[in-house]
Amino acid sequence: MIEPPGILLIDDDPAVGQAFRRRARGLFSVTATTDPKYALDLLRGPQAFAAVLSDLFMPGINGVTFLSAARTLAPRSKCYLFTGKVDYGSLRHDLAEAGGAHGFKLGLERAGQGDGVHPEPADGVHRQSFQR
């Protein structure tokens, strides 16, 4: 059996990781964490990730700083910066600062209001589908 591509997701809200894991079931192997240091340790390890997804706003480290480090540690991984709060002008700037990461706005439905995560490409930034 072919193993699905791995995705590393970092967000300070554990509900985002749980919802993304549900949506990606069967398509991707999702490792979600709220700890940026642990995420960087994972990138230093033997597991390869096809994609690294990071929230823009997190305590202690922002997504731009995290993805800059991730691109150094895992240069073959696609990097994505997401946020639920977005000013598209500043997002374009943040993406450029993160070394060309892709960006999207994340819509998260709370428990009982749907099935979780709905990525919405940031208009004028980049459109990327999550397909194998």
Side-chain angles (χ1 to χ4, degrees):
M1 183 172 151
I2 297 175
E3 209 167 303
I7 292 179
L8 177 60
L9 183 139
I10 173 78
D11 192 306
D12 58 309
D13 182 351
V16 173
Q18 294 164 357
F20 197 90
R21 203 179 278 122
R22 280 192 308 273
R23 291 282 293 195
R25 189 174 298 135
L27 297 173
F28 300 99
S29 172
V30 178
T31 301
T33 183
T34 59
D35 182 348
K37 290 179 180 148
Y38 176 69
L40 292 173
D41 286 343
L42 288 173
L43 291 172
R44 289 183 188 99
Q47 182 177 357
F49 293 97
V52 179
L53 286 72
S54 176
D55 187 12
L56 177 57
F57 301 107
M58 297 180 290
I61 187 171
N62 68 32
V64 172
T65 303
F66 176 81
L67 286 181
S68 293
R71 290 180 68 79
T72 300
L73 295 170
R76 297 184 66 173
S77 298
K78 295 269 187 188
C79 290
Y80 297 88
L81 185 65
F82 65 87
T83 183
K85 308 169 200 105
V86 68
D87 163 2
Y88 290 115
S90 64
L91 181 57
R92 276 190 283 279
H93 171 76
D94 293 337
L95 292 171
E97 213 175 293
H102 307 294
F104 60 93
K105 182 176 185 235
L106 187 72
L108 176 64
E109 296 177 357
R110 297 293 171 197
Q113 297 178 334
D115 62 354
V117 177
H118 301 281
E120 171 191 315
D123 289 339
V125 177
H126 187 79
R127 294 185 182 273
Q128 177 73 34
S129 63
F130 289 95
Q131 298 175 5
R132 290 204 281 170

